[in-house]
Amino acid sequence: MTVPFKLVSPAKLIFEGEAELVIAVTTEGEEGILPRHAPFLAALKPGLLRANIVENGASRRLELATGDGFMQALPDRVTVLVDRAVTFEEVDVAQTRAELAEASDPAAAAFARAKLQLTGHH
Amino acid sequence: MASVKDLRDRIRSLKNTQQITKAMKQVAAAKIRRAEAAQKQARPYADALGEMLQDLIATASRIDNPFMNPGKAGAPSGVILMTSDKGLAGAFNSNVIREAERYRQQQSGAHLYTVGIKARNAVRRWGLGDRPAWPLNAPSKLQTAHEVARQVAADFTSGEIGDITLISSKHVSMMSQRPEVRRLVPIERKTAAPKQKGPRGWVEIPPSAEFVLSKLLPKYLEFTIFSAMLETDAAFYAAQLLAMNNATENAGKLIDELTIAMNNARQAAITKELLEIVSGAEALTGT
């Protein structure tokens, strides 16, 4: 069973399709959403967003490092809003380490940590 | 009457001007497409954000967020004045700036924050000193919007300003851009929740609707500023396209007029020379 899932940033629609499971890091901790979840709305902190998505009948894992955001689950759809999101391929580990070292803004530091976590370098 | 040589020089210089305006018109046409695409890309986010806000406000039993309450009484209005960085777009920027001047007089003074170099220059001309200023076209508009929102939100909560108002251009159509004054904060319940499709019933909002709202409202402010920046961009290029199109046409008209004047002058000179020759010959044979 799947649920329509949408991941958007102000710059673009990152993903729109069907998902079996969506896991995001809310301010209260990790939250997994399955299809037909009761209405739910929470703020997200920078962290990993993981989803099992179904494309052309095949199940695939979607993993992104995301910035601040919000997640809304309704029985018939899941929407995640984030400031920014990067995939594993987009992370430059050396550069991210530098960002983390220089970051004065806690949100920027948390996002840099999320990126390192995505690459397994934390 | 100007000589043929003078006229020819003027025509040549006008043709150069026309080439420049024509090139700028083509560049504007290409950029407007990109600006409008960026606006379209931001729409899904806007829709989703609006919907979440609506849900939250419907669910929260009692809203006690500073952004939804009136600001400090007697504090000046906080105005974000947004223009483009560059000119050559007709009255595009001056319309917005004039609107801001009018607003400032109505409110008898306002705290200004500027986005766009033209806005910053205007505020300096008014003799208001150095107000916080950001360029419209930074590498990341999102980052700029984030900084602007953080600054105005901090000044609003500290009571330095009594509201947050945005004065920017509305991109009505390719032919028309209009300055628009929008009150961003305090957010009215009505504007935040336009169409209530009936409550969704119970919604789980950890830890509380209040808390999520306190996160969402600053984001809403930030995103509104971001989308106004995208709109200003699109409107600017539309205005520039129109202005450069007019300039190209006007140059063409002038070239036509001057060409006729030049032909007349040349013909007059030839006629005069012929007359001199003929009358000289007449004078010789006549006697």
Side-chain angles (χ1 to χ4, degrees), chain A residues 8-12 27-28 39-43 70 72 74 77 79 81-83 105, chain B residues 41-42 44-45 48-49 51-52 55-56 200 202-207 211 215-216 219:
Chain A
V8 280
S9 80
K12 65 175 187 209
T27 50
E28 307 309 299
F40 173 89
L41 178 60
F70 302 91
Q72 182 184 40
L74 294 170
R77 66 199 144 106
T79 310
L81 292 186
V82 289
D83 285 358
D105 183 7
Chain B
Q41 300 252 289
Y45 190 91
L49 195 63
E51 195 185 340
M52 285 185 192
D55 255 23
L56 265 176
R200 267 196 235 283
W202 185 77
V203 182
E204 184 189 354
I205 306 177
F211 173 80
K215 291 261 183 194
L216 197 83
K219 193 57 66 186

Side-chain angles (χ1 to χ4, degrees), chain B residues 151-225:
Chain B
Q151 169 97 49
V152 291
D155 288 354
F156 179 77
T157 19
S158 74
E160 201 179 317
I161 53 176
D163 67 54
I164 301 173
T165 301
L166 174 70
I167 302 182
S168 67
S169 280
K170 196 171 166 54
H171 183 38
V172 183
S173 71
M174 287 295 283
M175 305 300 287
S176 154
Q177 299 82 32
R178 200 188 36 240
E180 190 185 35
V181 180
R182 267 189 293 172
R183 168 70 38 87
L184 302 185
V185 173
I187 297 168
E188 284 171 36
R189 275 190 96 122
K190 266 211 307 281
T191 51
K195 292 178 245 87
Q196 199 55 43
K197 286 171 274 181
R200 267 196 235 283
W202 185 77
V203 182
E204 184 189 354
I205 306 177
S208 69
E210 281 291 282
F211 173 80
V212 178
L213 197 64
S214 75
K215 291 261 183 194
L216 197 83
L217 287 177
K219 193 57 66 186
Y220 186 74
L221 175 66
E222 185 181 322
F223 182 75
T224 309
I225 293 170

Side-chain angles (χ1 to χ4, degrees), chain B residues 17-30:
Chain B
T17 310
Q18 194 186 27
Q19 251 163 17
I20 294 169
T21 56
K22 204 186 274 174
M24 287 189 73
K25 178 182 139 185
Q26 277 155 357
V27 171

Side-chain angles (χ1 to χ4, degrees), chain B residues 63-275:
Chain B
I63 292 164
D64 191 25
N65 190 284
F67 279 15
M68 303 201 73
N69 294 332
K72 194 177 159 205
S77 174
V79 173
I80 304 169
L81 174 57
M82 195 180 287
T83 66
S84 67
D85 287 341
K86 292 180 184 159
L88 290 178
F92 175 75
N93 286 322
S94 44
N95 282 344
V96 184
I97 290 166
R98 201 172 321 123
E99 190 65 40
E101 218 168 348
R102 197 177 307 144
Y103 181 83
R104 205 162 66 92
Q105 274 159 9
Q106 267 174 19
Q107 303 283 317
S108 49
H111 254 54
L112 280 134
Y113 304 83
T114 64
V115 179
I117 289 168
K118 292 284 170 187
R120 185 198 66 189
N121 294 349
V123 168
R124 284 204 185 142
R125 268 201 306 280
W126 294 340
L128 297 178
D130 270 334
R131 296 294 309 153
W134 294 267
L136 180 68
N137 273 312
S140 161
K141 281 196 173 65
L142 264 177
Q143 183 60 30
T144 308
H146 181 70
E147 284 168 20
V148 176
R150 199 167 47 181
Q151 169 97 49
V152 291
D155 288 354
F156 179 77
T157 19
S158 74
E160 201 179 317
I161 53 176
D163 67 54
I164 301 173
T165 301
L166 174 70
I167 302 182
S168 67
S169 280
K170 196 171 166 54
H171 183 38
V172 183
S173 71
M174 287 295 283
M175 305 300 287
S176 154
Q177 299 82 32
R178 200 188 36 240
E180 190 185 35
V181 180
R182 267 189 293 172
R183 168 70 38 87
L184 302 185
V185 173
I187 297 168
E188 284 171 36
R189 275 190 96 122
K190 266 211 307 281
T191 51
K195 292 178 245 87
Q196 199 55 43
K197 286 171 274 181
R200 267 196 235 283
W202 185 77
V203 182
E204 184 189 354
I205 306 177
S208 69
E210 281 291 282
F211 173 80
V212 178
L213 197 64
S214 75
K215 291 261 183 194
L216 197 83
L217 287 177
K219 193 57 66 186
Y220 186 74
L221 175 66
E222 185 181 322
F223 182 75
T224 309
I225 293 170
F226 173 69
S227 66
M229 288 172 77
L230 293 181
E231 186 163 13
T232 297
D233 228 16
F236 167 73
Y237 287 119
Q240 185 167 60
L241 178 69
L242 195 65
M244 287 302 124
N245 192 32
N246 289 342
T248 309
E249 271 173 24
N250 289 343
K253 261 185 229 154
L254 260 179
I255 289 171
D256 288 350
E257 277 170 27
L258 287 175
T259 308
I260 289 170
M262 184 184 76
N263 289 345
N264 282 344
R266 195 186 56 209
Q267 196 55 53
I270 293 169
T271 312
K272 201 173 118 205
E273 255 172 58
L274 270 177
L275 270 177

Side-chain angles (χ1 to χ4, degrees), chain A residues 25 44-48 65-69 84 106-114 117:
Chain A
V25 186
L44 303 182
K45 347 185 252 196
L48 289 192
T66 55
D68 280 326
R84 45 196 169 170
F111 182 59
R113 267 196 292 278
Q117 203 184 339

